[in-house]
Coordinates of all heavy atoms in Angstrom, one line a residue:
M1 N 16.2 39.3 -50.5 CA 16.5 40.1 -51.7 C 17.6 41.0 -51.3 O 17.7 41.5 -50.2 CB 15.2 40.7 -52.1 CG 14.2 39.8 -52.7 SD 12.8 40.7 -53.3 CE 11.8 39.3 -53.6
A2 N 18.3 41.4 -52.4 CA 19.5 42.2 -52.1 C 19.3 43.6 -52.4 O 20.2 44.5 -52.6 CB 20.6 41.6 -52.9
Y3 N 18.1 44.0 -52.7 CA 17.9 45.5 -52.9 C 17.1 46.2 -51.8 O 16.2 45.6 -51.2 CB 17.2 45.6 -54.3 CG 15.7 45.0 -54.3 CD1 14.6 45.7 -53.9 CD2 15.7 43.7 -54.7 CE1 13.4 45.0 -53.9 CE2 14.4 43.1 -54.7 CZ 13.3 43.8 -54.3 OH 12.1 43.1 -54.3
W4 N 17.5 47.3 -51.5 CA 16.9 48.0 -50.4 C 16.7 49.6 -50.8 O 17.6 50.1 -51.4 CB 17.6 48.0 -49.1 CG 17.8 46.6 -48.7 CD1 19.0 45.9 -48.7 CD2 16.7 45.7 -48.3 NE1 18.8 44.6 -48.2 CE2 17.4 44.4 -48.0 CE3 15.4 45.7 -48.2 CZ2 16.8 43.2 -47.5 CZ3 14.7 44.6 -47.7 CH2 15.4 43.4 -47.4
T5 N 15.6 50.1 -50.4 CA 15.3 51.5 -50.8 C 15.4 52.4 -49.5 O 15.1 53.6 -49.6 CB 14.1 51.7 -51.5 OG1 13.0 51.2 -50.6 CG2 14.0 51.0 -52.9
A6 N 15.8 51.8 -48.5 CA 15.8 52.6 -47.2 C 17.0 52.2 -46.4 O 17.6 51.1 -46.6 CB 14.6 52.3 -46.4
S7 N 17.5 53.0 -45.6 CA 18.7 52.8 -44.7 C 18.3 51.7 -43.6 O 17.1 51.4 -43.5 CB 19.2 54.0 -44.0 OG 18.3 54.5 -43.1
D8 N 19.3 51.3 -42.8 CA 19.0 50.4 -41.7 C 18.0 51.0 -40.8 O 17.1 50.3 -40.1 CB 20.2 50.0 -41.0 CG 21.1 49.1 -41.8 OD1 20.6 48.4 -42.6 OD2 22.3 48.9 -41.5
T9 N 18.0 52.4 -40.6 CA 17.0 52.9 -39.7 C 15.5 52.8 -40.2 O 14.6 52.9 -39.4 CB 17.2 54.5 -39.5 OG1 17.3 55.1 -40.7 CG2 18.7 54.6 -38.9
G10 N 15.4 52.5 -41.5 CA 14.1 52.4 -42.1 C 13.7 50.8 -42.2 O 12.6 50.6 -42.8
R11 N 14.5 50.0 -41.7 CA 14.2 48.6 -41.9 C 12.9 48.2 -41.4 O 12.2 47.4 -42.0 CB 15.3 47.7 -41.2 CG 15.1 46.2 -41.3 CD 16.2 45.5 -40.6 NE 17.5 45.8 -41.1 CZ 18.2 45.2 -42.1 NH1 17.6 44.3 -42.8 NH2 19.4 45.6 -42.4
E12 N 12.4 48.6 -40.2 CA 11.2 48.2 -39.8 C 10.0 48.6 -40.6 O 9.1 47.8 -40.9 CB 11.0 48.8 -38.3 CG 9.8 48.4 -37.6 CD 9.7 48.9 -36.1 OE1 10.7 49.0 -35.5 OE2 8.5 49.1 -35.7
V13 N 10.0 49.9 -41.1 CA 9.0 50.3 -42.0 C 9.1 49.5 -43.3 O 8.0 49.1 -43.8 CB 9.2 51.8 -42.3 CG1 8.2 52.3 -43.4 CG2 8.9 52.5 -41.0
R14 N 10.3 49.3 -43.9 CA 10.4 48.5 -45.1 C 9.8 47.1 -45.0 O 9.1 46.7 -45.8 CB 11.9 48.4 -45.5 CG 12.1 47.7 -46.8 CD 13.6 47.6 -47.1 NE 14.4 47.0 -46.1 CZ 15.4 47.6 -45.4 NH1 15.7 48.9 -45.7 NH2 16.1 46.9 -44.5
E15 N 10.1 46.5 -43.8 CA 9.6 45.1 -43.6 C 8.1 45.2 -43.4 O 7.4 44.2 -43.9 CB 10.3 44.5 -42.3 CG 11.8 44.1 -42.7 CD 12.5 43.7 -41.3 OE1 11.9 43.7 -40.2 OE2 13.7 43.4 -41.5
L16 N 7.6 46.1 -42.8 CA 6.1 46.3 -42.7 C 5.5 46.5 -44.0 O 4.4 45.8 -44.3 CB 5.8 47.5 -41.8 CG 4.3 47.8 -41.6 CD1 3.6 46.7 -40.8 CD2 4.1 49.1 -41.0
L17 N 6.0 47.3 -44.9 CA 5.5 47.5 -46.3 C 5.7 46.2 -47.0 O 4.7 45.9 -47.8 CB 6.3 48.6 -46.9 CG 5.9 50.0 -46.4 CD1 6.9 51.1 -47.0 CD2 4.5 50.3 -46.6
V18 N 6.7 45.5 -47.0 CA 6.8 44.2 -47.7 C 5.8 43.2 -47.3 O 5.1 42.6 -48.0 CB 8.2 43.6 -47.5 CG1 8.3 42.2 -47.9 CG2 9.3 44.4 -48.3
A19 N 5.6 43.2 -46.0 CA 4.5 42.3 -45.5 C 3.1 42.7 -45.9 O 2.2 41.9 -46.3 CB 4.5 42.2 -43.9
W20 N 2.9 44.0 -45.9 CA 1.6 44.5 -46.3 C 1.3 44.2 -47.8 O 0.3 43.7 -48.2 CB 1.6 46.0 -46.1 CG 0.3 46.7 -46.5 CD1 -0.9 46.6 -45.9 CD2 0.2 47.6 -47.7 NE1 -1.8 47.4 -46.6 CE2 -1.2 48.0 -47.6 CE3 1.1 47.9 -48.7 CZ2 -1.7 48.9 -48.7 CZ3 0.6 48.9 -49.6 CH2 -0.8 49.3 -49.6
R21 N 2.4 44.3 -48.7 CA 2.2 44.0 -50.1 C 2.1 42.5 -50.3 O 1.2 42.2 -51.1 CB 3.5 44.5 -50.9 CG 3.4 46.1 -51.1 CD 4.6 46.4 -52.2 NE 5.9 46.1 -51.6 CZ 6.7 47.0 -50.9 NH1 6.2 48.2 -50.7 NH2 7.9 46.6 -50.5
N22 N 2.7 41.8 -49.6 CA 2.6 40.3 -49.7 C 1.2 39.8 -49.3 O 0.6 38.9 -49.9 CB 3.7 39.6 -48.9 CG 5.1 39.7 -49.6 OD1 5.2 40.0 -50.7 ND2 6.1 39.5 -48.8
D23 N 0.8 40.4 -48.2 CA -0.6 40.0 -47.7 C -1.7 40.4 -48.8 O -2.6 39.7 -49.0 CB -0.9 40.8 -46.4 CG -0.2 40.1 -45.2 OD1 0.4 39.0 -45.4 OD2 -0.2 40.7 -44.1
G24 N -1.5 41.6 -49.4 CA -2.4 42.0 -50.4 C -2.4 41.1 -51.5 O -3.5 40.8 -52.1
H25 N -1.2 40.8 -52.0 CA -1.1 39.8 -53.1 C -1.8 38.5 -52.8 O -2.5 38.0 -53.6 CB 0.4 39.6 -53.5 CG 0.6 38.5 -54.6 ND1 0.9 37.3 -54.1 CD2 0.4 38.5 -55.9 CE1 0.9 36.6 -55.3 NE2 0.6 37.2 -56.3
S26 N -1.6 38.0 -51.6 CA -2.1 36.8 -51.2 C -3.7 36.8 -51.2 O -4.3 35.8 -51.6 CB -1.6 36.3 -49.8 OG -0.3 36.0 -49.9
S27 N -4.2 37.9 -50.7 CA -5.6 38.1 -50.7 C -6.2 38.1 -52.0 O -7.3 37.5 -52.3 CB -5.9 39.4 -49.9 OG -5.6 39.3 -48.5
V28 N -5.6 38.9 -52.9 CA -6.1 39.0 -54.3 C -6.0 37.6 -55.0 O -6.8 37.2 -55.6 CB -5.4 40.0 -55.0 CG1 -5.7 40.1 -56.5 CG2 -5.6 41.4 -54.4
R29 N -4.9 36.9 -54.8 CA -4.7 35.6 -55.4 C -5.7 34.7 -54.9 O -6.4 33.9 -55.7 CB -3.4 35.0 -55.0 CG -3.0 33.7 -55.7 CD -1.9 32.9 -55.0 NE -2.2 32.7 -53.6 CZ -1.4 33.0 -52.6 NH1 -0.2 33.3 -52.8 NH2 -1.8 32.8 -51.3
D30 N -6.0 34.7 -53.7 CA -7.0 33.7 -53.0 C -8.4 34.0 -53.6 O -9.2 33.1 -53.9 CB -7.0 33.8 -51.5 CG -5.7 33.3 -50.9 OD1 -5.0 32.6 -51.6 OD2 -5.5 33.5 -49.7
R31 N -8.7 35.3 -53.8 CA -10.0 35.7 -54.3 C -10.1 35.3 -55.8 O -11.1 34.7 -56.2 CB -10.2 37.2 -54.3 CG -11.5 37.7 -54.8 CD -12.7 37.1 -54.1 NE -13.9 37.4 -54.7 CZ -14.6 36.6 -55.6 NH1 -14.2 35.5 -56.0 NH2 -15.8 37.2 -56.0
F32 N -9.0 35.4 -56.6 CA -9.0 34.9 -58.0 C -9.1 33.3 -58.0 O -9.8 32.9 -58.9 CB -7.8 35.4 -58.7 CG -7.8 36.8 -59.1 CD1 -6.6 37.6 -59.1 CD2 -9.0 37.6 -59.4 CE1 -6.7 38.9 -59.5 CE2 -9.0 38.8 -59.8 CZ -7.9 39.6 -59.8
R33 N -8.5 32.7 -57.1 CA -8.6 31.2 -57.0 C -10.0 30.9 -56.8 O -10.6 29.9 -57.5 CB -7.7 30.7 -55.9 CG -7.7 29.2 -55.9 CD -6.6 28.7 -54.9 NE -5.3 29.0 -55.3 CZ -4.4 29.5 -54.5 NH1 -4.6 29.7 -53.3 NH2 -3.2 29.8 -55.0
R34 N -10.8 31.5 -55.9 CA -12.1 31.3 -55.5 C -12.9 31.6 -56.8 O -13.9 30.9 -57.2 CB -12.6 32.1 -54.4 CG -14.0 31.7 -53.9 CD -14.3 32.2 -52.6 NE -14.9 33.6 -52.8 CZ -14.6 34.7 -52.2 NH1 -13.6 34.6 -51.3 NH2 -15.2 35.8 -52.4
S35 N -12.6 32.6 -57.5 CA -13.3 33.0 -58.8 C -13.2 31.9 -59.8 O -14.2 31.6 -60.6 CB -12.9 34.3 -59.4 OG -13.2 35.3 -58.6
V36 N -12.0 31.3 -60.0 CA -11.8 30.1 -60.9 C -12.7 29.0 -60.4 O -13.3 28.4 -61.2 CB -10.3 29.8 -61.0 CG1 -10.2 28.5 -61.7 CG2 -9.5 30.8 -61.6
D37 N -12.6 28.7 -59.2 CA -13.4 27.5 -58.6 C -14.9 27.7 -58.8 O -15.6 26.8 -59.0 CB -13.1 27.4 -57.1 CG -11.7 26.9 -56.8 OD1 -10.9 26.4 -57.8 OD2 -11.2 27.0 -55.6
E38 N -15.4 28.9 -58.7 CA -16.8 29.2 -58.8 C -17.3 29.4 -60.3 O -18.4 29.7 -60.5 CB -17.2 30.4 -58.0 CG -17.0 30.2 -56.5 CD -17.2 31.4 -55.6 OE1 -17.4 32.5 -56.2 OE2 -17.2 31.2 -54.4
G39 N -16.3 29.4 -61.2 CA -16.6 29.6 -62.6 C -16.7 30.9 -63.1 O -17.1 31.2 -64.3
D40 N -16.3 31.9 -62.3 CA -16.4 33.4 -62.7 C -15.1 33.7 -63.6 O -15.2 34.7 -64.4 CB -16.4 34.3 -61.5 CG -17.7 34.2 -60.8 OD1 -18.7 33.9 -61.3 OD2 -17.6 34.4 -59.5
L41 N -14.1 32.9 -63.5 CA -13.0 33.1 -64.4 C -12.7 31.8 -65.1 O -13.1 30.7 -64.5 CB -11.6 33.5 -63.6 CG -11.6 34.9 -63.0 CD1 -10.4 35.0 -62.1 CD2 -11.6 35.9 -64.1
P42 N -12.2 31.8 -66.3 CA -12.0 30.5 -66.9 C -11.0 29.6 -66.2 O -10.1 30.0 -65.4 CB -11.1 31.0 -68.2 CG -11.5 32.5 -68.4 CD -11.7 32.9 -67.0
P43 N -11.2 28.2 -66.3 CA -10.5 27.3 -65.5 C -8.9 27.4 -65.8 O -8.1 27.0 -64.9 CB -11.0 26.0 -66.0 CG -11.9 26.2 -67.1 CD -12.2 27.7 -67.2
E44 N -8.5 27.8 -66.9 CA -7.1 27.8 -67.2 C -6.4 29.1 -66.6 O -5.2 29.3 -66.8 CB -6.8 27.8 -68.7 CG -7.3 29.1 -69.5 CD -8.8 28.9 -70.0 OE1 -9.6 27.9 -69.5 OE2 -9.2 29.8 -70.6
T45 N -7.2 30.0 -66.0 CA -6.6 31.2 -65.4 C -5.7 30.8 -64.3 O -5.9 30.0 -63.4 CB -7.8 32.0 -64.8 OG1 -8.7 32.4 -65.9 CG2 -7.2 33.3 -64.1
D46 N -4.4 31.5 -64.2 CA -3.5 31.4 -63.2 C -3.7 32.4 -62.2 O -3.4 33.5 -62.4 CB -2.1 31.5 -63.7 CG -1.0 31.2 -62.8 OD1 -1.2 31.5 -61.5 OD2 0.1 30.9 -63.2
P47 N -4.4 32.1 -61.0 CA -4.7 33.1 -60.0 C -3.5 33.8 -59.5 O -3.5 35.1 -59.2 CB -5.3 32.3 -58.9 CG -5.8 31.0 -59.5 CD -4.9 30.8 -60.7
G48 N -2.3 33.2 -59.3 CA -1.1 33.9 -58.8 C -0.6 34.8 -59.8 O -0.2 36.0 -59.4
L49 N -0.6 34.5 -61.1 CA -0.1 35.4 -62.2 C -1.1 36.6 -62.3 O -0.7 37.7 -62.4 CB 0.0 34.6 -63.5 CG 0.3 35.5 -64.7 CD1 1.7 36.2 -64.5 CD2 0.3 34.6 -65.9
L50 N -2.3 36.4 -62.2 CA -3.3 37.4 -62.4 C -3.1 38.4 -61.2 O -3.2 39.6 -61.4 CB -4.8 36.8 -62.4 CG -5.8 37.7 -62.9 CD1 -5.6 38.3 -64.2 CD2 -7.1 36.9 -62.9
A51 N -3.0 37.8 -60.0 CA -2.9 38.6 -58.8 C -1.6 39.5 -58.9 O -1.5 40.7 -58.5 CB -2.8 37.8 -57.5
R52 N -0.5 38.9 -59.3 CA 0.8 39.6 -59.4 C 0.6 40.7 -60.4 O 1.2 41.9 -60.1 CB 1.9 38.7 -59.8 CG 3.3 39.3 -59.9 CD 3.7 39.9 -58.5 NE 4.0 38.7 -57.6 CZ 3.9 39.0 -56.2 NH1 3.7 40.1 -55.8 NH2 4.1 37.9 -55.4
C53 N 0.0 40.4 -61.6 CA -0.1 41.5 -62.6 C -1.0 42.7 -62.0 O -0.6 43.8 -62.2 CB -0.9 41.0 -63.8 SG 0.3 39.9 -64.8
L54 N -2.0 42.4 -61.4 CA -2.9 43.4 -60.8 C -2.2 44.2 -59.7 O -2.2 45.4 -59.8 CB -4.2 42.8 -60.3 CG -5.2 43.8 -59.7 CD1 -5.6 44.9 -60.7 CD2 -6.4 43.1 -59.1
T55 N -1.5 43.5 -58.8 CA -1.0 44.3 -57.7 C 0.3 45.0 -58.2 O 0.5 46.2 -57.7 CB -0.5 43.4 -56.5 OG1 0.3 42.3 -57.0 CG2 -1.8 42.7 -55.9
T56 N 1.0 44.6 -59.2 CA 2.1 45.3 -59.8 C 1.5 46.5 -60.5 O 2.1 47.6 -60.4 CB 2.9 44.4 -60.7 OG1 3.5 43.2 -59.9 CG2 4.0 45.2 -61.4
F57 N 0.5 46.3 -61.3 CA -0.1 47.4 -62.0 C -0.6 48.5 -61.0 O -0.3 49.7 -61.2 CB -1.2 47.1 -62.9 CG -1.8 48.1 -63.6 CD1 -1.2 48.7 -64.7 CD2 -3.1 48.7 -63.2 CE1 -1.8 49.8 -65.4 CE2 -3.6 49.8 -63.9 CZ -3.0 50.3 -65.0
A58 N -1.3 48.1 -59.9 CA -1.8 49.0 -59.0 C -0.7 49.8 -58.3 O -0.8 51.0 -58.0 CB -2.7 48.3 -58.0
S59 N 0.3 49.2 -58.0 CA 1.5 49.8 -57.3 C 2.1 50.9 -58.3 O 2.4 52.0 -57.8 CB 2.6 48.8 -56.9 OG 2.1 48.0 -55.9
G60 N 2.3 50.5 -59.5 CA 2.8 51.4 -60.5 C 1.9 52.6 -60.7 O 2.3 53.7 -60.9
L61 N 0.6 52.4 -60.8 CA -0.4 53.4 -60.9 C -0.3 54.4 -59.8 O -0.4 55.6 -60.0 CB -1.8 52.7 -61.0 CG -2.8 53.6 -61.7 CD1 -2.5 53.9 -63.2 CD2 -4.2 52.9 -61.6
A62 N -0.2 53.9 -58.5 CA 0.0 54.7 -57.4 C 1.2 55.6 -57.5 O 1.1 56.8 -57.1 CB 0.0 53.9 -56.2
V63 N 2.3 55.1 -58.0 CA 3.5 55.8 -58.2 C 3.3 56.9 -59.2 O 3.7 58.1 -59.0 CB 4.8 54.9 -58.5 CG1 5.9 55.8 -58.9 CG2 5.1 54.0 -57.3
Q64 N 2.8 56.5 -60.2 CA 2.4 57.5 -61.3 C 1.5 58.6 -60.8 O 1.8 59.9 -61.0 CB 1.7 56.9 -62.5 CG 2.6 55.9 -63.3 CD 3.7 56.6 -64.1 OE1 3.5 57.5 -64.7 NE2 4.9 56.2 -63.8
A65 N 0.5 58.3 -60.0 CA -0.4 59.3 -59.5 C 0.3 60.2 -58.5 O 0.2 61.5 -58.6 CB -1.6 58.7 -58.8
A66 N 1.2 59.7 -57.7 CA 1.9 60.5 -56.7 C 3.0 61.4 -57.5 O 3.4 62.4 -56.9 CB 2.7 59.6 -55.7
S67 N 3.4 60.9 -58.7 CA 4.3 61.8 -59.5 C 3.6 62.9 -60.3 O 4.3 63.6 -61.0 CB 5.0 60.9 -60.4 OG 5.8 59.9 -59.7
G68 N 2.4 62.9 -60.2 CA 1.5 64.0 -60.8 C 0.9 63.7 -62.2 O 0.5 64.6 -62.9
V69 N 0.9 62.4 -62.6 CA 0.3 62.0 -63.8 C -1.2 62.3 -63.7 O -1.7 62.0 -62.7 CB 0.6 60.5 -64.2 CG1 -0.2 60.1 -65.4 CG2 2.0 60.3 -64.4
C70 N -1.8 62.9 -64.7 CA -3.2 63.4 -64.6 C -4.2 62.2 -64.6 O -3.8 61.1 -65.1 CB -3.5 64.4 -65.7 SG -3.7 63.6 -67.4
R71 N -5.3 62.4 -64.1 CA -6.4 61.4 -64.0 C -6.7 60.7 -65.4 O -6.9 59.6 -65.4 CB -7.6 62.0 -63.4 CG -8.7 61.0 -63.1 CD -9.9 61.6 -62.6 NE -10.9 60.8 -61.9 CZ -11.5 59.7 -62.3 NH1 -11.0 59.1 -63.4 NH2 -12.4 59.0 -61.6
D72 N -6.8 61.6 -66.3 CA -7.1 61.0 -67.7 C -6.1 60.1 -68.2 O -6.4 59.0 -68.8 CB -7.3 62.2 -68.7 CG -8.5 63.0 -68.5 OD1 -9.5 62.5 -67.8 OD2 -8.6 64.1 -69.0
E73 N -4.8 60.4 -68.0 CA -3.8 59.4 -68.4 C -3.8 58.2 -67.6 O -3.6 57.0 -68.1 CB -2.3 60.1 -68.4 CG -2.2 61.1 -69.4 CD -0.8 61.8 -69.3 OE1 0.2 61.0 -69.2 OE2 -0.7 63.0 -69.3
L74 N -4.0 58.3 -66.3 CA -4.2 57.1 -65.5 C -5.3 56.2 -65.9 O -5.2 55.0 -65.9 CB -4.2 57.5 -64.0 CG -3.1 58.2 -63.3 CD1 -3.4 58.7 -62.0 CD2 -1.8 57.4 -63.5
Q75 N -6.4 56.8 -66.2 CA -7.6 56.1 -66.7 C -7.3 55.4 -68.0 O -7.6 54.3 -68.2 CB -8.8 57.1 -66.9 CG -10.1 56.4 -67.3 CD -10.5 55.5 -66.2 OE1 -10.8 55.9 -65.1 NE2 -10.7 54.2 -66.5
E76 N -6.6 56.1 -69.0 CA -6.2 55.4 -70.2 C -5.4 54.2 -69.9 O -5.5 53.1 -70.5 CB -5.5 56.3 -71.0 CG -6.3 57.4 -71.7 CD -5.5 58.5 -72.5 OE1 -4.2 58.5 -72.4 OE2 -6.0 59.2 -73.3
A77 N -4.3 54.3 -68.9 CA -3.5 53.1 -68.6 C -4.4 52.0 -68.0 O -4.2 50.9 -68.4 CB -2.4 53.5 -67.7
A78 N -5.3 52.3 -67.2 CA -6.1 51.3 -66.6 C -7.0 50.7 -67.7 O -7.2 49.4 -67.6 CB -7.0 52.0 -65.4
D79 N -7.6 51.4 -68.5 CA -8.4 50.9 -69.6 C -7.6 49.9 -70.5 O -8.0 48.9 -70.8 CB -9.0 52.0 -70.5 CG -10.0 52.7 -69.7 OD1 -10.6 52.3 -68.7 OD2 -10.3 53.9 -70.2
A80 N -6.4 50.3 -70.8 CA -5.4 49.5 -71.6 C -5.1 48.2 -70.8 O -5.1 47.1 -71.5 CB -4.2 50.2 -72.0
F81 N -4.9 48.2 -69.6 CA -4.6 47.1 -68.8 C -5.8 46.1 -68.7 O -5.6 44.9 -68.9 CB -4.2 47.5 -67.3 CG -3.9 46.4 -66.5 CD1 -2.7 45.7 -66.5 CD2 -4.8 46.0 -65.4 CE1 -2.5 44.6 -65.7 CE2 -4.6 44.8 -64.6 CZ -3.3 44.2 -64.7
L82 N -7.0 46.7 -68.6 CA -8.1 45.9 -68.5 C -8.5 45.1 -69.9 O -9.2 44.2 -69.8 CB -9.3 46.7 -67.9 CG -9.2 47.0 -66.4 CD1 -10.3 48.0 -66.1 CD2 -9.2 45.8 -65.6
R83 N -8.1 45.7 -70.9 CA -8.3 45.1 -72.2 C -7.6 43.7 -72.3 O -7.9 42.9 -73.1 CB -7.9 46.0 -73.4 CG -8.9 47.0 -73.6 CD -8.7 47.8 -74.9 NE -7.4 48.6 -75.0 CZ -7.4 49.9 -74.6 NH1 -8.4 50.4 -74.2 NH2 -6.3 50.5 -74.6
T84 N -6.6 43.5 -71.5 CA -5.8 42.2 -71.6 C -6.4 41.2 -70.4 O -5.8 40.2 -70.2 CB -4.3 42.5 -71.2 OG1 -4.1 42.9 -69.9 CG2 -3.8 43.5 -72.2
W85 N -7.5 41.6 -69.7 CA -7.9 40.9 -68.6 C -8.9 39.9 -69.1 O -9.7 40.1 -69.9 CB -8.7 41.8 -67.8 CG -8.9 41.5 -66.4 CD1 -10.1 40.8 -66.0 CD2 -8.2 41.6 -65.2 NE1 -10.0 40.6 -64.7 CE2 -8.8 41.0 -64.2 CE3 -6.9 42.1 -65.0 CZ2 -8.3 41.0 -62.9 CZ3 -6.3 42.0 -63.7 CH2 -7.1 41.5 -62.7
P86 N -9.0 38.6 -68.5 CA -8.0 38.1 -67.6 C -6.9 37.4 -68.2 O -6.9 37.0 -69.5 CB -8.8 37.1 -66.8 CG -9.8 36.6 -67.7 CD -10.1 37.7 -68.7
L87 N -5.7 37.3 -67.6 CA -4.6 36.5 -68.1 C -4.8 35.1 -67.8 O -5.5 34.7 -66.8 CB -3.3 37.1 -67.4 CG -3.0 38.5 -67.5 CD1 -1.8 38.9 -66.7 CD2 -2.8 38.9 -69.0
S88 N -4.2 34.3 -68.6 CA -4.3 32.8 -68.3 C -2.9 32.2 -68.2 O -2.0 32.8 -68.5 CB -5.1 32.2 -69.4 OG -4.6 32.2 -70.7

């Protein structure tokens, strides 16, 4: 990818964070896949899409929290997100 948020001196940390996020996404995707297989989620559910939505939302929520958004507003956002759950 051609975008970077850190200088070359931060490359190692950036790569570590990318790997950490990718591992997290893979773990969530695998868990959703198992939930589809076990009948806990509808069979038409796309585990990869659902995992990407959740991990993207969680990352954004963390940024908002770090930026000082109050707990009540974060809860409202989480509640709104969960009303669309699960995605298929």
Side-chain angles (χ1 to χ4, degrees):
M1 293 184 187
Y3 59 89
W4 303 112
T5 58
S7 67
D8 285 340
T9 59
R11 180 180 304 271
E12 185 176 325
V13 172
R14 181 178 59 244
E15 290 173 358
L16 178 67
L17 290 172
V18 168
W20 180 73
R21 283 189 299 267
N22 288 339
D23 288 346
H25 172 262
S26 294
S27 295
V28 173
R29 182 199 59 224
D30 293 347
R31 179 61 182 99
F32 286 148
R33 186 174 293 133
R34 193 169 83 228
S35 293
V36 170
D37 293 344
E38 294 173 356
D40 294 328
L41 288 172
E44 67 275 4
T45 300
D46 180 336
L49 174 61
L50 194 58
R52 183 63 65 202
C53 287
L54 179 62
T55 56
T56 299
F57 179 78
S59 295
L61 201 64
V63 169
Q64 293 290 308
S67 298
V69 175
C70 73
R71 186 185 196 309
D72 289 342
E73 288 183 50
L74 297 173
Q75 185 65 57
E76 286 177 349
D79 291 343
F81 179 76
L82 289 174
R83 282 192 292 273
T84 67
W85 195 268
L87 302 174
S88 56

